[in-house]
Amino acid sequence: QAAGGGSTMAAIDPRLCETTSCPTNIACIKYWGKADRKFNTPINSSVSVTLNQDDLRAITTVVASKDFSSDRLWLNGEELDINDVSKNSHAKRFQTCLLEMRKLAEDRIDPNTGDVLVRKEDWSQYRIHVVSRNTFPTAAGLASSAAGYACLVFALSKLFQVKASLSDISVIARQGSGSACRSLFGGFVKWEQGTAAANWQDSRAVPVASKEDWEDMATVILVANDKKKDTSSTSGMNTSVETSPLLAFRAREVVDGRLAAIEKAYRARNFSEFGQLTMADSNQFHATCLDTYPPIFYLNDVSRQIIRLVHAFNDYYGEIRAAYTFDAGPNAVIFVLKKHQSALLSYMLHYFPPPSMDATPSRFQSFSNRPGEVAVALDTAVDPGLIAAGDATGRTPVPGDVKMVYLTGVGDGPRVLTGDSSEWLVDPGTGLPKDNMISSGAEVEQDDKTDGDGHMGVAGQVKNLSQRIACLERSLTHQFSKLERLLGPATVPSAQTVMANLLRFSTLYLAFYGGLAVASSFAKGASWKWRK
């Protein structure tokens, strides 16, 4: 029997299997709120930047067989019950996407022989197994659902050999997750609001610019929380539509003007205009969350500190060089031109050092998708004037406040990965997830485990004393450098001196009170013997 129960294991026909990958996307002008919940359409249009899927992506394998007893879905190692909509939020959305894609199915032809493997009228006799995973945190405000549902629909389109265009199938993808429609294209993408008069068939994604149109664009993503958020996007936006007057005003009076302006700025590669519009729209989106009743809090203290530091960075250089945006979560996506990316990274890592500061060759591997660039950034001195500007925001370095850093840029759209079975997420002999894709059914703890790419969980890094001391010394050194600017270097002892004195004090403290404890124990023993 399959893990978790269900259909009997069965060898699969490799010709009825497809594996694809899809990128995530980050909205610059955001949508929040649904015009029609049934069709999952937005109250306003939106635009986004597709991120490079070499760094962040969803991977999905779909396989069809007559021997499968039912359609099944595994997401990040856990099987989800897709037949009971009361058990998980994905059941109805998954069923809708699968049903609509089945309607578009054509004959499946073997490309090598020309033989018809499945006739279009026979697809109803086949059941589908879907195995999907993300290479980045799920449900934490990094558009994991967008990548996942785009990948599902794209993989099914290849399995069913659908002839419809990507824009056409984006209409189906957005019924799984609204912003999924934008992940079907690379570069700069618009999701058209659509109209009820057209039965929402015009609510679809259209490309605005390709990834080649602004290859100098890069991003620094700071993960302030890699856990599932408290309020889902669907729940949050429904409450906002019902209670926030600001949201209705924004959709009616603000968004269209911003869309036209940012499309113009992107095509002209005007980063200053693009950055200002992106930050302003992010701020207004979170203002509508606060205007919701009861209010929704997606940003946390670290998020707000990042915002202040970005503005300090831009003010110091006298121009907009970095632009933050936050989706429905606390994690920051900071747009920056490639020529300024390393300076921004060094600046941010000064205030948000990694939780692990060991000197092993693999250091930072579990902290960033590009550990080498992080190591260089940490060893690069930051302009003292810029540090003074950052300090003025009130931020002091605390290791581990940022859980992970992703460095990426603008990327392409979906890819077909099916080359050989090594790329599949399913076992060809069983039609079930490969062993490394199975979890116990609960969320996989990442403290001491690795993900599918072999990266150790972030929380498992700060476990030995030498790492903790190194992190503490970095924080102390920063504090002393601030005192030096205030009092002068001659009056401030070195970090090593203070650490040595602290250790001496701790030793004396432990010796003194340890001696008291021993003496007290001895006295109690002597008293007991005397009484006896």
Side-chain angles (χ1 to χ4, degrees):
Q1 292 294 312
S7 58
T8 304
M9 296 183 293
I12 62 174
D13 184 340
R15 298 172 299 175
L16 300 182
C17 183
E18 295 284 353
T19 298
T20 63
S21 67
C22 270
T24 186
N25 70 81
I26 298 298
C28 302
I29 306 299
K30 305 181 186 299
Y31 102 94
W32 190 248
K34 298 176 182 179
D36 190 305
R37 295 187 187 182
K38 177 183 177 181
F39 291 97
N40 206 28
T41 55
I43 63 172
N44 61 261
S45 300
S46 57
V47 290
S48 63
V49 172
T50 299
L51 301 183
N52 191 335
Q53 62 180 292
D54 292 337
D55 302 304
L56 301 96
R57 65 177 176 172
I59 303 172
T60 298
T61 294
V62 294
V63 58
S65 175
K66 287 184 177 180
D67 294 329
F68 295 157
S69 62
S70 63
D71 299 322
R72 299 174 70 181
L73 168 66
W74 290 264
L75 177 61
N76 292 322
E78 179 183 355
E79 182 170 14
L80 303 182
D81 187 345
I82 61 170
N83 298 307
D84 187 347
V85 296
S86 66
K87 288 187 177 180
N88 70 80
S89 62
H90 291 285
K92 184 176 181 180
R93 293 185 285 169
F94 175 84
Q95 290 175 0
T96 298
C97 289
L98 184 55
L99 174 64
E100 294 301 318
M101 291 304 295
R102 273 187 166 128
K103 291 178 182 178
L104 300 177
E106 301 286 344
D107 291 349
R108 184 166 177 88
I109 309 296
D110 187 327
N112 297 317
T113 65
D115 294 339
V116 178
L117 301 175
V118 182
R119 297 194 179 278
K120 60 185 296 184
E121 60 268 22
D122 294 336
W123 277 114
S124 61
Q125 302 173 34
Y126 288 77
R127 295 294 173 261
I128 311 297
H129 284 187
V130 178
V131 183
S132 184
R133 72 176 179 89
N134 296 323
T135 64
F136 57 99
T138 298
L142 288 176
S144 57
S145 292
Y149 276 100
C151 207
L152 168 67
V153 169
F154 184 69
L156 290 173
S157 77
K158 296 304 177 184
L159 177 67
F160 295 143
Q161 299 202 331
V162 171
K163 296 178 180 178
S165 68
L166 285 177
S167 189
D168 287 338
I169 67 171
S170 77
V171 174
I172 298 173
R174 62 123 164 101
Q175 294 180 63
S177 173
S179 53
C181 65
R182 297 191 305 249
S183 280
L184 287 169
F185 295 96
F188 198 54
V189 187
K190 184 176 185 179
W191 175 13
E192 300 278 7
Q193 176 186 359
T195 58
N199 200 31
W200 301 109
Q201 290 301 299
D202 51 350
S203 180
R204 58 178 58 213
V206 293
V208 176
S210 70
K211 72 168 186 175
E212 291 79 16
D213 288 331
W214 205 348
E215 289 186 306
D216 290 338
M217 179 79 81
T219 61
V220 174
I221 301 176
L222 304 179
V223 179
N225 189 339
D226 56 359
K227 304 302 181 185
K228 187 174 180 179
K229 58 199 176 193
D230 294 334
T231 304
S232 72
S233 296
T234 298
S235 173
M237 67 177 63
N238 288 343
T239 306
S240 293
V241 167
E242 294 167 358
T243 65
S244 172
L246 177 59
L247 180 64
F249 174 83
R250 163 185 158 75
R252 185 179 65 250
E253 303 291 341
V254 179
V255 171
D256 287 344
R258 283 183 176 167
L259 287 170
I262 203 168
E263 287 181 34
K264 181 180 178 181
Y266 194 94
R267 289 194 177 99
R269 302 182 188 180
N270 184 339
F271 189 84
S272 179
E273 182 72 7
F274 169 84
Q276 190 276 330
L277 288 164
T278 296
M279 290 187 286
D281 202 74
S282 177
N283 295 340
Q284 190 177 66
F285 157 56
H286 287 280
T288 64
C289 292
L290 292 177
D291 190 49
T292 300
Y293 188 85
I296 305 169
F297 303 99
Y298 286 122
L299 303 183
N300 60 22
D301 288 342
V302 173
S303 309
R304 288 182 281 272
Q305 289 166 349
I306 291 170
I307 290 172
R308 288 191 286 268
L309 286 169
V310 168
H311 283 292
F313 183 84
N314 290 334
D315 290 345
Y316 179 75
Y317 288 109
E319 63 179 357
I320 295 178
R321 292 191 177 185
Y324 57 78
T325 187
F326 295 81
D327 277 354
N331 302 319
V333 177
I334 307 176
F335 292 104
V336 61
L337 296 180
K338 288 181 179 178
K339 63 183 178 181
H340 301 311
Q341 186 182 33
S342 59
L344 175 68
L345 180 60
S346 294
Y347 172 68
M348 285 298 175
L349 289 177
H350 176 84
Y351 289 102
F352 301 101
S356 174
M357 292 294 293
D358 63 272
T360 62
S362 62
R363 66 175 183 165
F364 314 131
Q365 186 174 1
S366 55
F367 179 68
S368 178
N369 61 319
R370 299 183 189 175
E373 291 182 39
V374 166
V376 170
L378 282 166
D379 291 336
T380 301
V382 181
D383 188 324
L386 180 56
I387 294 299
D391 289 348
T393 68
R395 172 66 189 181
T396 57
V398 178
D401 270 3
V402 164
K403 314 303 179 188
M404 195 166 186
V405 172
Y406 290 97
L407 303 177
T408 187
V410 185
D412 57 353
R415 300 173 185 172
V416 176
L417 302 182
T418 306
D420 57 69
S421 60
S422 65
E423 293 182 307
W424 300 356
L425 301 184
V426 299
D427 185 332
T430 64
L432 300 172
K434 290 181 177 178
D435 289 342
N436 62 354
M437 288 297 301
I438 295 291
S439 77
S440 63
E443 285 196 23
V444 179
E445 292 294 331
Q446 294 295 321
D447 283 6
D448 297 302
K449 298 179 176 63
T450 59
D451 62 19
D453 289 329
H455 298 299
M456 186 175 69
V458 172
Q461 298 175 62
V462 197
K463 289 208 170 178
N464 63 65
L465 185 59
S466 62
Q467 292 175 346
R468 292 178 183 272
I469 290 174
C471 291
L472 175 61
E473 184 174 9
R474 180 178 174 86
S475 184
L476 283 171
T477 300
H478 173 79
Q479 295 299 327
F480 292 138
S481 67
K482 290 172 67 177
L483 284 172
E484 277 190 318
R485 287 196 298 271
L486 292 172
L487 305 177
T491 64
V492 181
S494 68
Q496 290 80 4
T497 300
V498 171
M499 289 292 291
N501 288 334
L502 284 173
L503 288 172
R504 291 192 191 99
F505 175 79
S506 298
T507 302
L508 291 171
Y509 182 94
L510 290 172
F512 179 76
Y513 283 101
L516 285 181
V518 171
S520 175
S521 177
F522 179 82
K524 287 179 180 177
S527 174
W528 179 81
K529 288 180 180 179
W530 180 81
R531 288 198 304 270
K532 186 175 179 180

